[in-house]
């Protein structure tokens, strides 16, 4: 490694990039990612289940070791549940899997758990550790960040829908440019010093520290490099110059800590509820539409109103739709708050006009000077005057929609003010025409106002009130959900100039530095100093997310491997540089990185993290028993070569969630503001006093705790929870008396032991032995052996059933993953 370091530093001094160096002389992580060939399988060993096993078995064979036998099914289901979703299987689920004769039962279980919403909750916690996410500012005041939680929900949703990892990177660095505003909270996830000073030196130092946090975090999280070490001088080991450090900082120089207003449907939890309400409103509207005559059918239709207007017609295939307004009620500029177009599908009609359906929108003109009257409101799915468009022509205007693909439609709904409390009855389109086209050239009229009764203002208002009354509750719900909210996701401004700082001192500026990447690691790029903030961050994100980047894919697959086995192939997951630890299976790591970017499975999209999870979980390496063997311990005591599944203690969150699940009190509500485990107070310097009593509002999964910075939960903080003072690429593995004392005596665990005992008594009845058996099944997923059962019956008889439940919560088996 020393030779590699010397070569890297020499390349910097000579001004050469790594592309100028022969691959054989490069540090392993700086070489291009090439998919290595699979090792030749041994003829005297079982065939590998997938490529992972081929590499692991080859490494074991060189060291005189072999894979352990496969674990039994009861062990495997418990391992999968805790590893993939962080919750225990029920006794019934264990029994069903153990007795399932289907040879594909394991594969089906893996797929089911990866599809579970709880998967995102489990794996988001690992990402939040490296993103140094917390819901307070840190430093001496440590005041709460009440609007930080949308980022947590964003990560959960991103993992659950298997957002491609390259897109995940772009959204967190430049989400404001791609419709994912909440994601940019990653940039400002670290601590922030609220206490300011009139001293310009101190102010400059605080700003330099903020940018350093963003720069070093991006380098460590995505690239696995200690980029922050080049703040004051060239990196001592890796090919990162001080100018490189400030080039990345220049790409982030427009970012500041703070809140900004974003549409609520940018929040994954709210987005799902908004879509549900929209579907319900569409169902009600279409029920009403089915009662309306077809346009141009010879039957006179009702006059237009300010509320919901329905135009039905025979099904027609269209790629374009144009709504042309020819006259308004008083000749004023026309206004539309929403234009909806539904597919001719009796079972599940869709509104294909929505912008979220990738429909493009064009308008004739827009009345200037009014932020609430913009074209985007025509198909944003929101109703009411505050979300509307106004033409800039008296009595005239048109709207044209281009759908993502040709689609068969049969119904158009439009309105001027369809809010849950409609107020405006002016600017109503009284004469109009609706036409469709497949090519945007030849148009066919499908509906118009010609067969409607003449407009009458009072009648139109009355009709709108009746219509609004039917759907008013749902519209009120939509309005509340869609209200714009603040999130702690950074504030963006045009950056000032960035300079290289001599020794990192903000008062010792040297030459100006333009936005760019790491010049010596391939794919070098640079922007002009005048480039707008958003373009800078987009360029940085796309460089990191490029397949040509030599580090990005290696780093993330190593993080996944660490999550499943407790130790990464590289045991320094945020330092792949020369000073980091060498990989235990370097060819396997490269194969996994190549597979992530260019999957060998034809129907698998690139950058799918769930694909990588599935490969790991289906491997024979993962399915091994965890039993220790003398030969393996002698050669590889830490199981770095994976001759067995490495047993480990569960994370603090999984222990707490497991206790709640076993006691029957776990609240599975997802998303939204978290719960607090500390007593409320409004001190200037926030005081975090742990709660001693816990109500149902605190019984959600621990990922939804409003996590303060630098202050750990009184009970589970002892289990190596990171304090979010800085990023935590891996958690410690301590064993302390405080951990045992907390599980035995803390108010929370004592309370849950009581709830657990109540559940056991309710489900097992009054027979002591049946109670013991049920308690063991719920807590440990197995029946007690005879000695355990006898001792447990005696314990419950002398000290009560809650005492037995406390003992089971404190069993080594309860807190370990085997």
């Amino acid at each position: 490694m020393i030779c590699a370091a010397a070569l890297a530093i020499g390349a910097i001094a000579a001004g050469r990039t790594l592309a100028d160096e022969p691959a054989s002389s490069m540090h392993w992580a700086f070489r291009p990612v090439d998919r290595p060939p699979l090792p030749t399988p041994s003829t005297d060993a079982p065939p590998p289940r997938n490529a992972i096993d081929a590499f692991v078995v080859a490494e074991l064979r060189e060291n005189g070791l072999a894979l352990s036998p496969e674990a039994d099914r009861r062990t495997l289901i418990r391992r999968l549940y805790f590893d993939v979703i962080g919750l225990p299987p029920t006794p019934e689920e264990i029994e069903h899997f153990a007795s399932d004769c289907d040879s594909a039962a394991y594969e089906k279980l893996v797929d089911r758990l990866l599809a579970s919403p709880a998967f995102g909750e489990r794996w988001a916690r690992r990402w939040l550790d490296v993103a140094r996410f917390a819901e307070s500012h840190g430093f001496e005041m440590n005041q709460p960040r009440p609007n930080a939680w949308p980022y947590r929900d964003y990560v959960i949703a991103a993992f659950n829908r298997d957002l491609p990892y390259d897109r995940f990177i772009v959204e967190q660095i430049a989400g404001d440019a791609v419709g994912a505003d909440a994601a940019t909270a990653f940039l400002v996830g670290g601590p922030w010093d609220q206490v300011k000073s009139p001293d310009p030196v101190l102010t400059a130092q605080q700003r330099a520290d903020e940018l350093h946090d963003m720069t070093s975090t991006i380098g460590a999280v995505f690239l696995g490099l200690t980029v922050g070490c080049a703040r004051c001088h060239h990196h001592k080991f890796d090919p990162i110059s001080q100018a490189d450090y400030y080039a990345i900082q220049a790409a982030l120089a427009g970012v500041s800590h703070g809140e900004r207003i974003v549409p609520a449907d940018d929040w994954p939890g709210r987005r799902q509820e908004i879509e549900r309400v929209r579907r319900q409103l569409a169902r009600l509207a279409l029920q009403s539409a089915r009662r309306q005559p077809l346009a141009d059918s010879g039957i006179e239709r009702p006059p237009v109103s300010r509320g919901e207007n329905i135009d039905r017609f025979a099904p027609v295939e269209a790629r374009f739709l144009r709504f042309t307004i020819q006259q308004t009620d008083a000749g004023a500029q026309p206004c539309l708050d929403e234009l909806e177009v539904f597919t001719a599908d009796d079972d599940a009609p869709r509104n294909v006009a929505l912008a979220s359906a990738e429909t493009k929108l064009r308008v004739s003109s827009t009345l200037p000077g009014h932020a609430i009257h913009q074209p985007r409101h025509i198909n944003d799915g929101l109703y009411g005057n505050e979300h509307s468009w106004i033409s800039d022509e008296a009595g005239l205007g048109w709207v044209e929609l281009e759908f993502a693909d040709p689609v068969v439609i049969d119904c158009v709904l439009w309105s001027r003010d369809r809010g849950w409390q409609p107020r405006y009855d002016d600017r109503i389109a009284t004469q109009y025409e609706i036409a469709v086209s497949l090519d945007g050239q030849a148009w066919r009229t499908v509906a118009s106002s010609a067969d409607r009764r003449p407009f009458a203002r009072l009648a139109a208002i009355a009709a709108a009130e009746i219509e609004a009354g039917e759907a008013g509750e749902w519209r009120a719900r939509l309005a509340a959900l869609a209200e714009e909210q603040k999130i702690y996701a950074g504030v963006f401004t045009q950056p000032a100039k960035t300079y290289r700082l001599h020794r990192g001192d903000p008062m010792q500026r040297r030459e100006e530095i333009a936005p760019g990447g790491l010049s010596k690691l391939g794919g070098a790029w640079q922007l002009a100093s005048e480039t707008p903030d958003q373009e800078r961050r987009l360029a940085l994100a796309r460089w990191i997310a490029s397949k040509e980047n030599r580090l990005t894919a290696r780093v993330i697959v190593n993080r996944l491997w660490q999550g499943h086995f407790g130790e990464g192939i590289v045991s320094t997951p945020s330092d792949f540089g020369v000073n980091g630890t060498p990989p235990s299976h370097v060819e396997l790591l490269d194969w996994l990185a190549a597979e992530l970017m260019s999957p060998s499975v034809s129907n698998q999209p690139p950058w799918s993290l769930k694909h990588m999870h599935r490969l790991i979980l289906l491997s024979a390496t993962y399915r091994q028993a965890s039993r220790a063997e003398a030969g393996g311990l002698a050669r590889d005591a830490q199981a770095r070569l994976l001759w067995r599944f490495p047993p480990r203690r569960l994370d603090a969150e999984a222990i707490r969630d497991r206790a709640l699940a076993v006691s029957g009190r776990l609240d599975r509500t997802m998303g939204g503001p978290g719960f607090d485990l500390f007593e409320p107070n409004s001190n200037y310097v926030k005081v975090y006093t742990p709660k001693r009593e816990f109500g149902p509002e605190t019984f959600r999964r621990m990922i939804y705790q409003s996590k303060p910075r630098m202050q750990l939960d009184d009970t589970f903080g002892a289990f190596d929870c990171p304090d979010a003072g800085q990023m935590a690429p891996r958690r410690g593995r301590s064993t302390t008396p405080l951990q045992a004392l907390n599980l035995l005596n803390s108010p929370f665990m004592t309370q849950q032991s009581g709830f657990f005992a109540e559940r056991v008594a309710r489900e097992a009845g009054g027979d002591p032995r049946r109670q013991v058996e049920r308690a063991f099944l719920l807590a440990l997923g197995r029946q007690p052996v005879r000695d355990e059962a006898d001792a447990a019956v005696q314990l419950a008889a002398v000290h009560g059933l809650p005492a037995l439940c406390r003992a089971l919560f404190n069993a080594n088996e309860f807190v370990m993953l085997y």
Side-chain angles (χ1 to χ4, degrees):
M1 288 194 296
I2 298 300
C3 292
L7 285 167
I9 295 170
I12 294 174
R16 300 192 306 271
T17 69
L18 288 181
D20 301 317
E21 301 295 324
S24 59
S25 67
M26 290 183 199
H27 178 60
W28 66 269
F30 302 151
R31 300 169 189 162
V33 178
D34 294 321
R35 188 188 298 263
L38 297 185
T40 304
S42 173
T43 56
D44 58 353
R49 290 186 179 273
N50 58 29
I52 290 173
D53 299 329
F55 287 105
V56 171
V57 168
E59 194 73 30
L60 289 172
R61 190 167 60 238
E62 288 185 12
N63 289 271
L65 296 168
L67 291 177
S68 294
E70 184 167 305
D72 63 84
R73 281 201 167 188
R74 293 179 185 274
T75 298
L76 285 176
I77 186 174
R78 290 179 68 255
R79 182 185 299 172
L80 279 176
Y81 265 73
F82 286 118
D83 190 18
V84 179
I85 66 173
L87 293 171
T90 65
E92 293 72 26
E93 287 170 329
I94 294 173
E95 194 58 40
H96 174 77
F97 181 69
S99 59
D100 193 344
C101 297
D102 186 351
S103 60
Y106 181 86
E107 288 78 2
K108 292 178 179 178
L109 178 60
V110 167
D111 289 340
R112 179 166 64 84
L113 293 179
L114 288 176
S116 167
F119 164 77
E121 293 175 318
R122 169 64 170 163
W123 281 83
R125 180 66 264 169
R126 302 186 188 281
W127 185 261
L128 296 179
D129 282 359
V130 298
R132 78 267 191 244
F133 171 79
E135 295 178 64
S136 71
H137 293 311
F139 289 93
E140 64 268 35
M141 291 179 67
N142 206 12
Q143 289 291 328
R145 289 179 183 172
N147 296 318
W149 59 266
Y151 176 71
R152 174 248 293 153
D153 284 5
Y154 160 80
V155 176
I156 293 172
F159 285 179
N160 275 334
R161 71 178 189 269
D162 198 19
L163 183 70
Y165 184 64
D166 57 344
R167 174 75 178 195
F168 186 58
I169 294 170
V170 170
E171 289 187 354
Q172 291 183 94
I173 298 175
D176 53 308
V178 294
D181 282 271
T184 60
F186 170 85
L187 296 171
V188 292
W192 177 59
D193 191 353
Q194 290 176 273
V195 180
K196 303 304 178 184
S197 168
D199 181 0
V201 177
L202 178 58
T203 300
Q205 187 64 55
Q206 286 178 317
R207 179 58 179 161
D209 290 344
E210 290 172 11
L211 290 172
H212 175 74
D213 169 71
M214 299 177 204
T215 304
S216 59
T217 298
I218 282 180
V221 171
F222 297 121
L223 302 175
L225 291 177
T226 54
V227 174
C229 291
R231 179 181 187 179
C232 306
H233 48 68
H234 294 335
H235 201 290
K236 297 298 185 185
F237 300 97
D238 299 330
I240 305 172
S241 69
Q242 191 185 18
D244 286 346
Y245 169 89
Y246 286 102
I248 294 180
Q249 188 177 107
L252 303 168
V255 183
S256 298
H257 277 260
E259 297 179 335
R260 68 179 191 274
I261 294 176
V262 298
D265 63 359
D266 187 56
W267 302 356
R270 286 202 176 194
R271 186 186 302 128
Q272 295 174 7
E273 180 64 9
I274 284 172
E275 291 306 316
R276 186 183 75 84
V277 174
R278 283 176 178 165
R279 288 194 297 270
Q280 179 65 13
L281 281 168
R283 185 184 67 81
L284 292 173
L286 290 172
Q287 284 179 354
S288 176
R290 299 298 180 234
R291 298 192 294 267
Q292 297 287 332
L294 294 178
D296 297 327
S297 63
I299 301 175
E300 192 175 43
R301 296 191 294 145
V304 297
S305 75
R306 69 179 177 187
E308 185 176 270
N309 297 287
I310 299 169
D311 285 280
R312 288 183 61 221
F313 41 85
V316 60
E317 186 177 20
R319 178 71 184 269
F320 299 85
L321 182 140
R322 180 180 290 170
F323 186 93
T324 303
I325 300 166
Q326 301 157 335
Q327 183 176 311
T328 59
D329 59 309
Q333 299 96 325
C335 178
L336 289 178
D337 73 341
E338 194 71 13
L339 179 63
E340 299 172 300
V341 182
F342 288 92
T343 57
D345 186 343
D346 291 335
D347 295 328
R350 295 180 295 115
N351 176 15
V352 293
L354 288 168
S356 59
E358 299 184 3
T359 291
K360 297 178 182 178
L361 173 75
R362 288 180 288 274
V363 298
S364 55
S365 60
T366 300
L367 184 68
H370 297 275
I372 65 173
H373 300 306
Q374 295 298 317
R376 67 178 183 274
H377 294 313
I378 294 173
N379 62 340
D380 63 356
L382 303 176
Y383 308 112
N385 183 70
E386 287 71 24
H387 301 275
S388 64
W389 161 79
I390 297 179
S391 166
D392 196 26
E393 302 171 74
L396 302 174
W398 55 260
V399 174
E400 185 178 303
L401 302 174
E402 180 182 351
F403 309 127
D405 297 292
V407 63
V408 178
I409 58 176
D410 70 349
C411 185
V412 171
L413 272 65
W414 60 275
S415 52
R416 184 269 179 263
D417 186 3
R418 212 187 327 172
W420 70 281
Q421 289 182 329
R423 294 179 294 164
Y424 296 92
D425 56 8
D426 60 346
R427 304 180 185 275
I428 300 173
T430 55
Q431 292 185 22
Y432 64 90
E433 179 183 87
I434 300 174
V436 297
S437 173
L438 277 171
D439 59 5
Q441 302 296 321
W443 293 88
R444 169 188 169 189
T445 299
V446 293
S448 73
S449 57
D451 59 345
R452 286 189 179 273
R453 293 197 296 273
F455 172 78
R457 185 175 303 279
L458 293 179
I461 295 173
E465 298 301 336
I466 294 172
E467 175 270 319
E470 294 178 352
E473 182 179 341
W474 288 100
R475 293 219 178 106
R477 174 69 176 151
L478 181 63
L481 285 168
E483 181 182 356
E484 290 184 330
Q485 298 286 342
K486 287 184 177 180
I487 60 173
Y488 198 94
V491 178
F492 306 127
T493 58
Q494 181 58 26
K497 292 182 178 180
T498 297
Y499 299 90
R500 184 176 65 84
L501 304 180
H502 182 58
R503 298 182 177 178
D505 183 352
M507 307 312 292
Q508 296 192 59
R509 293 179 174 180
R510 294 299 187 260
E511 72 276 12
E512 183 181 350
I513 301 292
L518 302 181
S519 59
K520 306 301 187 294
L521 289 178
W525 60 278
Q526 193 173 62
L527 301 176
S529 297
E530 298 77 23
T531 304
D533 159 72
Q534 192 178 85
E535 292 182 26
R536 297 177 183 217
R537 289 182 286 111
L538 270 172
L540 174 63
R542 288 168 177 163
W543 170 68
I544 293 173
S546 168
K547 288 184 178 181
E548 282 66 49
N549 194 301
R550 305 173 184 193
L551 291 154
T552 306
R554 285 177 169 129
V555 170
I556 187 58
V557 296
N558 187 68
R559 293 195 193 281
L560 300 185
W561 191 272
Q562 174 182 286
H564 287 297
F565 291 102
E567 191 79 71
I569 295 174
V570 178
S571 62
T572 50
S574 290
D575 187 2
F576 275 41
V578 173
N579 216 32
T581 58
S584 58
H585 302 77
V586 65
E587 289 189 328
L588 171 58
L589 183 62
D590 276 7
W591 190 94
L592 292 170
E595 179 68 14
L596 174 66
M597 295 186 289
S598 301
S600 55
V601 182
S602 59
N603 62 347
Q604 184 63 51
W607 296 101
S608 167
L609 297 185
K610 283 193 177 182
H611 172 53
M612 306 310 297
H613 283 290
R614 194 173 192 274
L615 276 174
I616 294 171
L617 296 170
L618 294 183
S619 68
T621 304
Y622 182 84
R623 299 193 211 186
Q624 294 178 95
S626 61
R627 186 180 302 109
E629 302 290 347
L633 291 175
R635 291 181 173 85
D636 180 24
Q638 300 300 318
R640 290 283 286 128
L641 300 179
L642 296 170
W643 55 271
R644 65 164 176 159
F645 181 84
R648 62 184 186 274
R649 194 192 65 221
L650 294 173
D651 293 340
E653 292 84 359
I655 297 172
R656 186 181 191 272
D657 293 349
R658 184 179 190 178
L660 284 165
V662 169
S663 74
R665 297 303 176 103
L666 179 63
D667 179 355
R668 296 293 296 274
T669 302
M670 296 183 66
F675 61 89
D676 201 344
L677 292 177
F678 299 91
E679 298 291 350
N681 67 79
S682 56
N683 298 46
Y684 175 76
V685 174
K686 176 74 172 179
V687 177
Y688 290 91
T689 303
K691 288 184 175 180
R692 308 297 294 174
E693 296 181 359
F694 305 92
E697 73 281 358
T698 67
F699 294 166
R700 298 172 68 192
R701 296 197 68 174
M702 194 174 177
I703 193 170
Y704 297 113
Q705 176 206 354
S706 294
K707 180 180 175 62
R709 204 177 306 275
M710 309 302 294
Q711 183 66 52
L712 299 175
D713 163 54
D714 209 33
T715 300
F716 296 95
F719 290 88
D720 303 307
C721 281
D723 62 12
Q726 55 187 348
M727 63 174 296
R730 53 181 294 179
R731 295 193 179 189
R733 298 178 186 172
S734 65
T735 301
T736 68
L738 190 59
Q739 294 167 353
L741 290 170
N742 283 357
L743 287 183
L744 187 65
N745 298 320
S746 68
F748 177 81
M749 294 304 293
T750 301
Q751 177 195 51
Q752 295 305 312
S753 298
F755 292 148
F756 183 14
E758 292 173 6
R759 178 184 182 183
V760 169
R762 184 172 60 251
E763 295 181 3
D767 181 83
R769 193 159 292 271
R770 289 186 60 191
Q771 289 180 347
V772 166
E773 291 173 352
R774 187 61 180 168
F776 268 76
L777 279 173
L778 289 170
L780 306 182
R782 64 172 178 83
Q783 292 278 6
V785 298
R786 177 177 296 180
D787 289 348
E788 288 176 324
D790 292 343
V793 168
Q794 184 177 2
L795 173 63
V798 175
H799 298 285
L801 190 55
L804 171 62
C805 293
R806 286 174 72 187
L808 289 174
F809 279 156
N810 280 267
N812 195 55
E813 198 172 339
F814 186 82
V815 299
M816 290 295 294
L817 178 67
Y818 295 102

